[in-house]
Amino acid sequence: MPSSKGYAVLDAQSPLAPFNFSRREPGPTEIAIEILYCGVCHSDLHMARNEWGQSIYPMVPGHEIVGRVIAVGASSVKFKLGDIAAVGVIVDSCRHCAPCSNGEEHFCVQGATLTYAAPDRVDGSITMGGYASNYVVDERFAHTVPENLNLAAVAPLLCAGITTYSPLRHWKVGPGKKVGIVGLGGLGHMALKFAHAFGAHVVQFTTNLRKKEDALKLGADEVVLSTDPEAMNAHANSFDFILDTVSAPHSLDDYLVLLKKDATMCLVGLPDKPSSFGIFNMITRRASIAGSMIGGMVETQEMLDYCGEHNIVSEVEVIPIQKVNEAFERLLKQDVKYRFVIDMSSLK
Ligand code: NAP
Ligand code: ZN
Ligand code: ZN
């Protein structure tokens, strides 16, 4: 393996800075990829700053990876040299528990291995993510990419894409359903695209009406300013499903009262503080609050293939890696349309 270059944080307070490290040679079923693009997920920011209390330093973030295969293990069958491969949020699991056997490795009962800041099952080292020149991964945890899609705009599908595709599929969002998407950021704009493509009536909730025109272009049938009580009230008791992608603490009750009887609000956003909600708002409509995390390998490939067939990609702002700290700051100010993606050729 060539040595690896990347950007790392050394503790929860420091900015990302150049960092050199090494990765192991690919094993028999593993591939090595030269990373071309890596998306900047809000989870990278939560993790860099240890907002969930589970960070390990030094940390190279990044789990929306698209790259070119530069080495293949002797027994690998899925990729050949020069192919494009994509890697998301997990890179290993026990591979034999019930969820793993079912292609739902993200729910591995022993815990899936995260792409960064997790103990590697193969050599015990700490995984280093995709803000880097290369990655080594078992081919089971790498995906093929439809040839018709722009590679920079594919990268965010590996986290923002699958994290929204999976719950929308699980709760059978489609024609005849009224669906709300809360927050128009990286996850939110992919949720909007998918819910629209699945044929639902989609309402985008945002705290920023300047995003209204974009939301309509991305597939919203209606856009609601969530800080306007009258506008919110007009949708009381009307939603079949609401997907909440918000990264910061906010009221869940504002949305629970918009659900129909027996409807579900699914949380995918992961604020750094626990949420509370009024139980009366649930019992009076037999509502459910649910959660969902990324997706398994089978569904992630299904999502990528669906995107190829329907020409769906992320709206991206491509940046050189030298601007990644600025990108973190802009993410906090909700100043991104709608995902930053690092062009790794900038990594010198
Ligand atoms: P993002 O691009 O920063 O988008 C978050 C959006 O939330 C913002 O664009 C904004 O939308 C809204 N928002 C932010 N602060 C808010 C506040 N104080 N009150 C109300 N709304 C606010 O982030 P992202 O990359 O999409 O990630 C979103 C969250 O999902 C993060 O917490 C991330 O860690 C989590 N995540 C979870 C999974 C999973 O598997 N469950 C996977 C990936 C990411 P408006 O401007 O439209 O209001
Ligand atoms: Zn992510
Ligand atoms: Zn397992």
Side-chain angles (χ1 to χ4, degrees):
M1 271 305 287
S3 62
S4 305
K5 283 189 253 178
Y7 266 50
V9 279
L10 301 183
D11 56 54
Q13 286 78 40
S14 307
L16 286 145
F19 180 72
N20 294 326
F21 59 105
S22 59
R23 302 201 195 260
R24 64 167 176 278
E25 294 297 320
T29 59
E30 291 185 326
I31 59 169
I33 62 178
E34 174 197 2
I35 299 178
L36 301 174
Y37 297 102
C38 185
V40 178
C41 179
H42 204 115
S43 300
D44 298 342
L45 176 54
H46 291 304
M47 283 290 285
R49 302 192 174 169
N50 199 18
E51 290 175 358
W52 299 329
Q54 63 185 60
S55 298
I56 303 173
Y57 302 98
M59 179 196 303
V60 177
H63 58 208
E64 294 183 336
I65 299 169
V66 172
R68 192 179 301 284
V69 176
I70 53 168
V72 289
S75 323
S76 64
V77 290
K78 201 160 143 188
F79 296 95
K80 57 182 188 327
L81 287 182
D83 283 353
I84 297 296
V87 178
V89 178
I90 60 171
V91 290
D92 209 350
S93 68
C94 86
R95 307 185 193 190
H96 56 254
C97 71
C100 282
S101 304
N102 202 23
E104 296 187 308
E105 298 86 349
H106 55 313
F107 296 134
C108 175
V109 296
Q110 292 183 25
T113 304
L114 297 175
T115 304
Y116 62 87
D120 189 308
R121 280 181 152 84
V122 176
D123 64 10
S125 64
I126 297 301
T127 56
M128 298 285 176
Y131 294 4
S133 52
N134 53 30
Y135 207 94
V136 173
V137 63
D138 192 287
E139 63 176 8
R140 174 177 175 154
F141 292 86
H143 306 282
T144 59
V145 175
E147 279 175 14
N148 56 318
L149 301 179
N150 175 291
L151 292 183
V154 162
L157 301 178
L158 277 300
C159 178
I162 185 60
T163 301
T164 52
Y165 181 95
S166 182
L168 292 171
R169 282 299 197 209
H170 183 78
W171 276 279
K172 302 192 169 32
V173 162
K177 297 282 172 74
K178 181 173 172 183
V179 173
I181 308 298
V182 188
L184 187 57
L187 267 58
H189 92 288
M190 288 313 308
L192 182 50
K193 287 191 178 204
F194 286 134
H196 174 71
F198 298 168
H201 180 89
V202 194
V203 180
Q204 177 70 52
F205 294 97
T206 179
T207 56
N208 182 352
L209 262 199
R210 285 194 301 274
K211 295 182 179 175
K212 181 172 180 176
E213 286 312 309
D214 285 351
L216 293 171
K217 275 189 220 141
L218 293 168
D221 296 289
E222 301 177 62
V223 182
V224 173
L225 180 64
S226 55
T227 51
D228 176 349
E230 230 172 88
M232 293 292 278
N233 248 334
H235 290 271
N237 303 309
S238 67
F239 282 90
D240 295 285
F241 184 70
I242 295 178
L243 188 65
D244 184 335
T245 74
V246 174
S247 53
H250 60 289
S251 162
L252 301 188
D253 291 309
D254 288 356
Y255 299 97
L256 283 175
V257 297
L258 306 187
L259 293 174
K260 271 183 188 167
K261 181 172 81 68
D262 291 326
T264 297
M265 171 155 169
C266 176
L267 310 176
V268 288
L270 290 164
D272 60 350
K273 299 200 175 54
S275 303
S276 65
F277 53 87
I279 297 171
F280 275 99
N281 289 333
M282 295 185 72
I283 63 165
T284 48
R285 46 182 58 73
R286 198 162 55 194
S288 303
I289 292 186
S292 188
M293 185 181 78
I294 49 169
M297 297 306 106
V298 171
E299 196 175 37
T300 302
Q301 189 64 57
E302 174 194 307
M303 179 271 312
L304 285 165
D305 295 344
Y306 180 90
C307 288
E309 279 156 33
H310 294 82
N311 231 337
I312 293 175
V313 284
S314 178
E315 303 299 306
V316 298
E317 184 175 336
V318 179
I319 56 165
I321 198 157
Q322 292 77 10
K323 290 212 164 159
V324 69
N325 289 304
E326 194 183 307
F328 270 18
E329 292 310 318
R330 285 181 55 194
L331 207 52
L332 278 177
K333 289 189 256 168
Q334 292 144 51
D335 173 24
V336 52
K337 292 186 170 182
Y338 279 88
R339 192 59 131 193
F340 292 113
V341 171
I342 304 166
D343 177 352
M344 221 50 77
S345 68
S346 61
L347 187 61
K348 296 281 183 290

